[in-house]
Amino acid sequence: MTDTFRRAVAVSMCLAATAISPARGQAEPAEAGIAVYRPEAFAEFLPRNALDMVYRLPGFSLNGGDNVRGLSGAAGNVLINGRRPPRGSGSLQSRISAIRVEDVIRLELIEAGARDVEMQGYPLLLDIVTAQTSAARVDGRIEIEPREDGGEEYQGELAVSISGGRSELEARVDLYDETRTDYGSVRTSTADEPGARVSSDELESQTRRDWLAVARFHANPRNDFAFSLSTERRDNTSTPVLDTQAPTGTVETGASESIARFGSARWRHDLTDTVELIGLVTRRHGEAVASDSFLSSGVTSQSDSTRETEETAVRADVRWRPSRSLTLETGVTWAANMLEGRSSAYIDGVEQDIDGDDAQVEETRSALLASATWIPTSRVSTTIGTRFEQFSLDTSNQGGASLSLTDIAPRADINWSLSDGWTLRLSSERNVGQLNLDQFLASTDLNNSLNTAGAATLEPQRDWTHAITLEHRSGERDLLRLEAATQEIENPISSVLDGQGSLRPANVGPETIQWVNAQFELELDRYGLDGLSVEGSANRRWSDRVDQLQGFTRTTSGHRDYNIKLVIRKEWSEGRYMASFEVEDRAPAMHYWLTEIREENNGIRLRFESEWRPGPEWRSGFFMRWNGDRRDTIQVFDGVREPGADPVLINTIDRSEGVFASVWSEWEVRRAGFLRLSLRSGRDESGVSRVDSPAGAFLDQIASQSDNVPSVNVRLRFQR
């Protein structure tokens, strides 16, 4: 089946490469390097909000920006009316979903250099252009899901925005509560517990409380101000279901609380018609507390930790556009980050003495930025820039350590619009990453009683990334994209054994990752196959690095040689009926962990979806997914892997999952008010853990089984 699937994708790729040509539907780009999609192009999908259309954009994936600190900017790849949404509470998806289809004028995919916007390293940006109205708007969602086993889920979201005159105000509240039973599953064996193991059932509860307030003020045509405040709170607990404990079961409990407060202020000032000044100040403060306990084979282990973090970043940019073909930018940035943390651990009542269990870390970064974007013709744009960065670090671990570095990070991009809608992109960039300060705080893995000391000192990860992309867009959604890239990492961070025999994070030797990607989306109407479309993707990867624990050359942990996906979609009766089928095949992956080497082998994934639209106010559908059986073959070592050491046992874990299915129906009970009812099957899960000696002699085996848990989901969305 797998070979047949791969051949089908290869044939489809060839078909896409030869068949894509200009077609009807998509408006001609208003500017070179900008593809414009209007709401009419998505009418057949009956979108309810802007997010429904964004998900249908060919070759574009949402990226909300990660939560890294300081100079990275943590900016996503979406603009709303030319501005990035403020960082802080609430996901990018929720903000886009709050935009009504009626308010969307067009979606613009912007290539690097096509317009005077800050790309933040993305090859494409999406700008959602909406109608500017002087009105108040309320968007909300209420969702309830009771489950047969007593678990339940409640979600609520409310957004209010007021725009008019020179001011814009926005407030959002997002609430989430869930209680569910996590059914016991087979666990990996350890050298201390070489028998097959299974977890007891656990009752888990999760809560989330987020709020965000944003204010924008247009003082005059040359001055804009924006302010945002937000809070994110998370609470999680896990307790065992005592009446389901197995004699050989492990019992875990845990609780964690965290709160983060975020604020930012942004000022834009046009010094002249061609010179723009942008200033940005951000501030974040976070606190987190966590505790865990683990009982197995009569041995009780527990750990506790507290963290307090702060980050402050300041950025100022000046952009000068002396001509339509040239944009110059320069700027300065400064960021300070701090972590104070404490951790403790007890194994069978014995306190663990670990360096870094009382850690203080301070990191400071400053940089000077410069870049130039030149568009010599309507078909070619180039961006060349560099960043001079100074980094300093002070940590209390190992009696105190300091580090100071200076880096130069150049970057170059070329976009060339070839004939007939083809675009060629070339990019080369040196990246200087951000440190995760949590790596300086000691930790204990209660599952195998393994202590990891806090890092003594660390350098930011540095790499060179080179990529070439060939892309073709046509029609409403036709796309062909081919990409090849290589990433050369100079100093990746990994856990190593130091000279005192302690396990701790440190910079290690170089690593190389290379990949080629192919992606296509194709409407087959032009061949007389009305309503039929096909899309697919294929990825091939190569990687290598030296294993720091045992010294051999290996692939990157988690590396997959390939990933292939094919989707076929068919519509009938002018879009009243729709069905789609998706199949995905992923290569096995090797994971190189501290005390084990794990080979993960997944089966093919299948997904089927159908929809019936009897009228504009009513739609119903059926959804089903199935994942092939997963087998993990684990080489378990006696403690941390060391040169010349052989595994002490082989643990094979087989997991299977039943089919998950959902039947749903949604009504527009009144204008812009949608009520959705879903009946969900849940799915059976089973697992078998077998333990053998390295020579293949059978030692032990255990099985785990959990039943289907049906549920009903009721969701109300409204927009006014």
Side-chain angles (χ1 to χ4, degrees):
M1 181 177 180
T2 300
D3 291 339
T4 302
F5 171 51
R6 293 176 190 164
R7 294 190 189 101
V9 173
V11 171
S12 300
M13 291 286 186
C14 294
L15 175 64
T18 58
I20 289 183
S21 60
R24 59 173 177 80
Q26 178 185 332
E28 289 299 317
E31 305 171 54
I34 298 179
V36 178
Y37 295 86
R38 302 190 183 278
E40 305 86 71
F42 308 91
E44 63 189 89
F45 301 107
L46 296 180
R48 302 300 196 193
N49 52 55
L51 186 63
D52 292 342
M53 294 188 288
V54 171
Y55 281 150
R56 295 293 181 180
L57 277 174
F60 179 79
S61 297
L62 280 178
N63 188 329
D66 47 25
N67 292 321
V68 293
R69 308 172 312 279
L71 305 184
S72 67
N77 62 350
V78 173
L79 311 177
I80 299 177
N81 293 322
R83 298 189 297 259
R84 280 188 169 87
R87 292 170 56 192
S89 174
S91 67
L92 180 62
Q93 288 87 340
S94 66
R95 296 177 191 176
I96 297 175
S97 66
I99 301 174
R100 300 181 300 177
V101 171
E102 296 84 353
D103 294 335
V104 177
I105 297 176
R106 63 185 179 274
L107 305 179
E108 298 179 344
L109 284 178
I110 305 170
E111 298 177 359
R115 187 178 289 172
D116 185 19
V117 296
E118 189 178 8
M119 300 297 292
Q120 289 280 338
Y122 295 105
L124 283 174
L125 287 183
L126 169 64
D127 189 9
I128 304 174
V129 182
T130 66
Q132 301 297 308
T133 59
S134 299
R137 190 174 68 210
V138 178
D139 304 279
R141 175 176 58 89
I142 300 172
E143 190 170 339
I144 302 172
E145 182 175 335
R147 304 182 181 119
E148 187 183 68
D149 61 357
E152 54 193 11
E153 179 180 320
Y154 300 94
Q155 296 189 50
E157 182 179 346
L158 182 66
V160 179
S161 60
I162 303 173
S163 60
R166 297 180 177 181
S167 302
E168 298 177 31
L169 303 175
E170 178 186 355
R172 303 184 64 87
V173 178
D174 187 8
L175 309 175
Y176 176 87
D177 287 274
E178 181 184 27
T179 301
R180 68 184 183 93
T181 300
D182 186 9
Y183 292 98
S185 59
V186 291
R187 299 185 64 97
T188 304
S189 301
T190 67
D192 293 334
E193 297 189 51
R197 299 196 296 169
V198 65
S199 297
S200 66
D201 295 349
E202 298 175 10
L203 188 65
E204 295 189 353
S205 65
Q206 304 177 24
T207 64
R208 182 176 70 236
R209 301 287 184 268
D210 298 343
W211 67 265
L212 167 71
V214 181
R216 302 184 183 94
F217 179 63
H218 310 281
N220 52 56
R222 292 189 179 275
N223 289 276
D224 284 335
F225 299 89
F227 307 91
S228 69
L229 295 172
S230 66
T231 297
E232 301 176 350
R233 184 180 181 91
R234 305 288 186 270
D235 295 281
N236 302 295
T237 61
S238 175
T239 57
V241 181
L242 299 179
D243 57 358
T244 64
Q245 291 184 29
T248 57
T250 59
V251 180
E252 298 177 71
T253 63
S256 64
E257 300 178 6
S258 66
I259 185 169
R261 301 176 179 89
F262 186 91
S264 68
R266 185 180 186 272
W267 173 46
R268 181 194 63 82
H269 175 59
D270 293 337
L271 296 173
T272 68
D273 292 340
T274 59
V275 180
E276 179 185 61
L277 171 65
I278 298 176
L280 176 68
V281 179
T282 64
R283 170 73 174 173
R284 186 179 188 277
H285 181 270
E287 299 175 5
V289 179
S291 62
D292 296 281
S293 68
F294 190 89
L295 172 62
S296 186
S297 300
V299 176
T300 300
S301 306
Q302 64 184 63
S303 66
D304 298 277
S305 67
T306 61
R307 291 175 175 84
E308 182 177 357
T309 58
E310 290 182 356
E311 56 187 53
T312 303
V314 180
R315 179 167 181 158
D317 290 315
V318 177
R319 294 180 189 168
W320 177 34
R321 198 164 191 173
S323 68
R324 293 178 60 87
S325 62
L326 180 63
T327 300
L328 303 176
E329 181 177 352
T330 187
V332 293
T333 63
W334 176 84
N337 304 284
M338 179 276 294
L339 165 73
E340 290 187 358
R342 293 174 176 80
S343 67
S344 62
Y346 293 82
I347 306 298
D348 200 16
V350 179
E351 184 176 7
Q352 308 297 292
D353 184 16
I354 320 170
D355 183 39
D357 58 7
D358 188 353
Q360 293 85 42
V361 188
E362 293 182 358
E363 175 195 30
T364 303
R365 305 181 66 164
S366 56
L368 175 65
L369 319 172
S371 68
T373 299
W374 181 41
I375 308 176
T377 72
S378 61
R379 292 182 174 271
V380 178
S381 67
T382 62
T383 299
I384 300 175
T386 190
R387 185 173 77 246
F388 299 90
E389 184 172 317
Q390 196 279 331
F391 164 86
S392 63
L393 178 76
D394 293 284
T395 174
S396 63
N397 292 347
Q398 284 195 330
S402 298
L403 178 66
S404 182
L405 299 169
T406 301
D407 285 294
I408 301 177
R411 174 180 183 143
D413 296 279
I414 300 177
N415 286 271
W416 182 14
S417 296
L418 309 175
S419 60
D420 298 327
W422 290 91
T423 300
L424 178 67
R425 298 191 186 98
L426 303 173
S427 67
S428 182
E429 179 180 14
R430 178 174 170 83
N431 299 292
V432 181
Q434 297 259 352
L435 290 179
N436 178 5
L437 298 188
D438 284 345
Q439 293 174 313
F440 291 87
L441 185 62
S443 63
T444 298
D445 185 346
L446 300 183
N447 182 65
N448 53 22
S449 304
L450 184 67
N451 296 322
T452 300
T457 187
L458 287 175
E459 297 182 10
Q461 179 177 291
R462 306 178 187 87
D463 69 73
W464 278 98
T465 301
H466 314 283
I468 178 171
T469 304
L470 181 64
E471 180 179 285
H472 185 280
R473 292 179 181 270
S474 64
E476 293 180 349
R477 287 177 302 278
D478 287 355
L479 168 74
L480 173 65
R481 176 184 292 164
L482 305 172
E483 179 187 58
T486 180
Q487 182 182 24
E488 301 170 1
I489 306 174
E490 300 174 6
N491 58 339
I493 297 173
S494 183
S495 293
V496 302
L497 288 169
D498 63 15
Q500 290 75 39
S502 296
L503 185 70
R504 68 175 74 238
N507 295 101
V508 297
E511 177 178 12
T512 301
I513 303 174
Q514 299 172 326
W515 65 90
V516 292
N517 295 327
Q519 179 183 4
F520 75 91
E521 298 183 30
L522 180 63
E523 301 285 331
L524 300 180
D525 300 58
R526 72 192 66 178
Y527 302 107
L529 302 174
D530 294 342
L532 185 64
S533 63
V534 59
E535 64 181 83
S537 62
N539 173 279
R540 182 71 170 90
R541 293 172 64 89
W542 300 265
S543 66
D544 68 79
R545 67 181 294 180
V546 175
D547 187 276
Q548 295 299 310
L549 297 178
Q550 292 186 286
F552 61 90
T553 300
R554 59 169 175 83
T555 59
T556 300
S557 187
H559 170 95
R560 297 186 188 277
D561 287 342
Y562 63 84
N563 191 94
I564 303 174
K565 183 170 71 172
L566 180 66
V567 182
I568 299 175
R569 175 187 171 93
K570 172 64 177 176
E571 294 188 5
W572 298 270
S573 302
E574 298 181 347
R576 290 182 62 194
Y577 303 94
M578 181 279 295
S580 69
F581 176 76
E582 177 181 319
V583 57
E584 183 177 12
D585 184 24
R586 300 190 301 164
M590 297 296 295
H591 303 273
Y592 298 88
W593 295 348
L594 296 175
T595 60
E596 63 186 59
I597 298 176
R598 178 183 297 247
E599 180 183 8
E600 173 194 340
N601 202 328
N602 297 275
I604 288 179
R605 297 179 175 182
L606 302 178
R607 173 174 172 150
F608 175 78
E609 186 174 2
S610 63
E611 192 169 324
W612 174 42
R613 304 161 183 169
E617 295 84 19
W618 180 23
R619 58 199 295 183
S620 299
F622 173 74
F623 170 78
M624 180 185 70
R625 69 172 180 261
W626 174 81
N627 295 333
D629 295 348
R630 169 176 167 173
R631 166 170 287 197
D632 288 3
T633 303
I634 308 152
Q635 303 176 47
V636 179
F637 292 80
D638 186 7
V640 178
R641 296 186 291 114
E642 296 182 354
D646 294 321
V648 295
L649 58 89
I650 305 296
N651 187 192
T652 303
I653 297 179
D654 290 296
R655 297 184 179 92
S656 63
E657 299 179 348
V659 174
F660 171 82
S662 174
V663 179
W664 60 270
S665 192
E666 183 176 87
W667 302 269
E668 187 172 4
V669 293
R670 56 181 301 176
R671 187 178 183 274
F674 306 97
L675 179 64
R676 183 183 180 106
L677 175 65
S678 303
L679 304 177
R680 301 176 177 177
S681 69
R683 57 185 171 188
D684 298 321
E685 296 183 357
S686 63
V688 176
S689 176
R690 177 188 171 101
V691 182
D692 298 282
S693 71
F698 172 78
L699 299 178
D700 196 13
Q701 181 170 303
I702 197 170
S704 173
Q705 176 75 38
S706 62
D707 296 329
N708 243 337
V709 182
S711 64
V712 177
N713 181 279
V714 181
R715 182 189 309 171
L716 174 65
R717 293 185 295 119
F718 55 90
Q719 299 169 324
R720 289 183 60 87

